[in-house]
Amino acid sequence: MLIDRSINETLNRTLGTSMSTLLSILPLAFFGGEALQDFGIVLIFGIFLATSSSIFIAAPILLFLGENRLRRNAPAENAAPAANPTP
């Protein structure tokens, strides 16, 4: 299926980008001052949410929206053609 292939192709890039960003934010969260530690923790939480969302949430939403569009268009496409009277 196209969505499965798309997820597999973007999985490596998504995880690589998330991990490199996480590695740059971890020192900020552990060794930063009081304000920077809170900011770093919020960024780590955001990285986790964004990564999981792009992998586990976006595809089911796309599938759901695609199925609704297919159901909405199905009666028009499957309708029998009108009989043309012959002169």
Side-chain angles (χ1 to χ4, degrees):
M1 181 175 255
L2 181 62
I3 292 180
D4 291 336
R5 188 172 21 163
S6 298
I7 290 173
N8 286 336
E9 288 176 1
T10 61
L11 185 64
N12 191 24
R13 284 193 314 254
T14 301
L15 290 178
T17 303
S18 298
M19 292 307 288
S20 64
T21 307
L22 185 65
L23 287 175
S24 67
I25 298 299
L26 281 175
L28 183 71
F30 287 125
F31 304 119
E34 185 177 330
L36 290 178
Q37 284 179 344
D38 293 338
F39 182 64
I41 291 170
V42 170
L43 284 176
I44 290 170
F45 181 70
I47 291 168
F48 174 74
L49 274 177
T51 304
S52 62
S53 171
S54 66
I55 295 171
F56 299 113
I57 297 174
I61 289 174
L62 183 62
L63 283 173
F64 177 73
L65 292 175
E67 286 177 5
N68 282 343
R69 187 173 12 168
L70 288 175
R71 286 186 199 138
R72 187 176 52 218
N73 292 337
E77 293 174 359
N78 294 333
N84 293 332
T86 54

